[in-house]
């Protein structure tokens, strides 16, 4: 007889390799997000648009681009797809149906994401994941190979869109080219206005946040994020079903995965970076066509990272470190949004007002500070409580009642 009351999975039934990979991704994603927290928006896509881009600052950007840019976003999207299969399989085995749980769960995530994006930091990814999940759920029962193929097709559509944009620039109206170039390489006046706004009163910060978030949730979502995140979720569903993400494959399988992923991925990323430097980060090339080397290279690099983390998960070594990182992953939602809160306090007007004043080299120190904070607090918290604070809120909204928080 199937249970009638839907309950969250207990901590005893968690898959540690997934938590370990999620914790690794949470730490890694800050390497790129720090640029949006601390610098004008154009500097994320076009590093030559703001700040000192020479010497050590240039090396910091290059290392972060090769190792981190889009790599940890990729892992998160893959994990989210895996989570859809895991949660719905558990629900269907216990209760016979998963649709209500899935849509309530992701509607709750959508609300949290909207609050995060419009009130704290516009670069939120949770809204994208929630919206994509409403569609990819329909494919959850497909075979692994089918899911991977469908995922790659969806992932490829963004490249087709950017190929069309990139090759059609000579035919754009002149005013459209000028407008697009202004977002790629803003004037000093526009940059200073953004800095003053972010470092200004709370009302200005909220207005800037909401305007930027709405642009990401519409234009960027339709041209980029839906295809990328949705495709990667389908790939994640497929490779989870194959046992890749639960460390069930052989050591040699993961070793080959690292070798293949990095032999293909890193040369693509590095070549694309060198090509962008060669053309001087010109809008005509770098905005659209020049971004595709990293877009595809990141997929392969991320698969190599996943295989490396699975090897570590299978190892009998590094128990304390693995437990610390897995705790960060178990509290992924809380740690993701706490990164935003800490960085907003450091860089924005609501706190220390350092936006636009910290070079890339200095941002490394902030990353290390936030990492140390999350290393120190996640495991002790979970020693006393079943969930992180926001995980508790999310589960309580999903299941329609306050969940027990303290461990007995």
């Amino acid at each position: 007889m199937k249970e009638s009351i839907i309950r969250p999975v207990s901590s005893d039934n968690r898959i540690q390799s997934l938590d370990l990979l999620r914790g690794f991704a949470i730490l890694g994603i800050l390497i790129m997000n720090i640029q949006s927290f601390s610098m004008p928006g154009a500097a994320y896509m076009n590093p030559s648009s703001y700040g000192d881009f020479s010497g050590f600052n240039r090396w910091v950007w290059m290392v972060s681009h090769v190792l981190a840019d889009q790599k940890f976003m990729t892992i998160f999207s893959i994990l989210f797809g895996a989570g859809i299969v895991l949660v719905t399989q558990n629900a269907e085995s216990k209760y016979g149906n998963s649709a209500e749980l899935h849509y309530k769960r992701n509607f709750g995530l959508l609300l949290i994401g909207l609050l995060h994006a419009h009130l704290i930091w516009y670069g939120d990814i949770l809204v994208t994941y929630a919206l994509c999940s409403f569609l990819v759920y329909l494919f959850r029962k497909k075979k692994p190979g089918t899911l991977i193929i469908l995922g790659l097709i969806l992932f490829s559509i963004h490249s087709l869109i950017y190929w069309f944009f990139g090759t059609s620039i000579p035919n754009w109206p002149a005013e459209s080219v000028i407008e697009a170039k202004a977002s790629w390489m803003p004037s000093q006046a526009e940059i200073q206005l953004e800095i003053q706004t972010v470092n200004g009163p709370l009302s200005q910060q909220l207005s800037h946040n909401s305007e930027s978030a709405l642009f990401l949730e519409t234009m960027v979502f339709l041209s980029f994020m839906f295809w990328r995140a949705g495709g990667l979720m389908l790939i994640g569903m497929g490779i989870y079903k194959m046992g890749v993400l639960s460390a069930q494959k052989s050591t040699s399988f993961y070793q080959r995965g690292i070798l293949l992923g990095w032999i293909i991925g890193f040369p693509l990323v590095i070549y694309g970076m060198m090509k962008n430097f060669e053309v001087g980060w010109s809008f005509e090339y770098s905005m659209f066509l020049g971004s595709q080397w990293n877009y595809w290279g990141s997929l392969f690099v991320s698969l190599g990272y996943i295989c490396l983390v699975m090897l570590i998960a299978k190892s009998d070594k590094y128990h304390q470190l693995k437990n610390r990182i897995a705790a960060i992953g178990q509290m992924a939602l809380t740690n993701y949004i706490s990164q935003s809160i800490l960085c907003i306090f450091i860089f924005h007007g609501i706190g220390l007002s350092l936006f636009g004043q910290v070079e890339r080299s200095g941002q490394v120190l902030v990353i290390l500070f936030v990492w140390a904070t999350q290393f120190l607090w996640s495991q002790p918290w979970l020693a006393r409580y079943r969930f992180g604070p926001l995980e508790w809120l999310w589960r309580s909204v999903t299941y329609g009642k306050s969940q027990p928080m303290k461990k007995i």
Side-chain angles (χ1 to χ4, degrees), residues 97 107 119 154 207 258 304 306 396:
N97 186 276
F107 183 73
L119 300 181
L154 204 62
S207 177
I258 294 170
I306 289 170
S396 296

Side-chain angles (χ1 to χ4, degrees), residues 9-33:
V9 67
S10 71
S11 58
D12 294 336
N13 294 325
R14 298 188 68 90
I15 301 174
Q16 192 195 44
S17 62
L18 290 178
D19 284 334
L20 186 63
L21 184 59
R22 198 175 287 113
F24 174 70
I26 278 287
L27 295 172
I29 205 166
L30 182 61
I31 297 171
M32 294 309 299
N33 286 350

